[in-house]
Amino acid sequence: MATETIFTKIINGTIPSNILYHDDLVTAFADIAPKAPHHILIVTNKPIPSVAEVESCDEQMLGHLFIVARKIATDLGVNESGYRLIVNVGADGGQEVPHIHMHLLAGGKLGGLGFPKQD
Ligand code: AMP
């Protein structure tokens, strides 16, 4: 069984957060350390640790992340101008919180993706 994460506590209201959206499948709230003018996390209510553990039965819930991303982008006024959706997976992917979540970054022209700059 998956263990409770900091995101579970946010979803349950045990620790405070700026929640923008909540339904039976997902919850969205502001990232505590924003990397863009708008930085929202869209989190599955079910605490699956990462994409590496998803199962076929999770398909509808995972697809719903995109529907909610579009709704939030629309609410923020960026659905036409553009935004970035990111799902980090595992240590090499830069995932810090072991609870599936999609980052929505918006509010201006975003930088590139890829490896960090080497010295
Ligand atoms: P990741 O590296 O993909 O696992 O992203 C985890 C994200 O969770 C980071 O961007 C953190 O800033 C964010 N985060 C961690 N704790 C909190 C919190 N209590 N409330 C909101 N965002 C958080």
Side-chain angles (χ1 to χ4, degrees), residues 6-81:
I6 191 166
F7 289 169
T8 310
K9 292 177 182 169
I10 289 172
I11 293 163
N12 295 341
T14 313
I15 62 172
S17 181
N18 178 12
I19 292 183
L20 282 76
Y21 181 87
H22 175 78
D23 65 22
D24 288 348
L25 298 176
V26 305
T27 301
F29 50 88
D31 195 292
I32 201 168
K35 308 293 189 301
H38 299 296
H39 187 171
I40 311 302
L41 300 176
I42 310 166
V43 180
T44 59
N45 295 342
K46 180 179 170 184
I48 304 167
S50 87
V51 171
E53 279 87 18
V54 297
E55 298 175 319
S56 300
C57 62
D58 299 318
E59 192 168 344
Q60 187 195 350
M61 176 181 66
L62 296 172
H64 193 55
L65 287 171
F66 285 91
I67 299 299
V68 172
R70 184 193 62 193
K71 175 187 167 26
I72 290 171
T74 302
D75 291 348
L76 293 172
V78 300
N79 199 47
E80 300 300 323
S81 55

Side-chain angles (χ1 to χ4, degrees), residues 63-109:
H64 193 55
L65 287 171
F66 285 91
I67 299 299
V68 172
R70 184 193 62 193
K71 175 187 167 26
I72 290 171
T74 302
D75 291 348
L76 293 172
V78 300
N79 199 47
E80 300 300 323
S81 55
Y83 48 97
R84 182 171 292 160
L85 301 175
I86 299 173
V87 179
N88 294 325
V89 183
D92 281 1
Q95 185 179 2
E96 294 172 4
V97 178
H99 184 148
I100 286 186
H101 53 283
M102 176 183 277
H103 296 253
L104 188 160
L105 297 152
K109 198 85 173 168

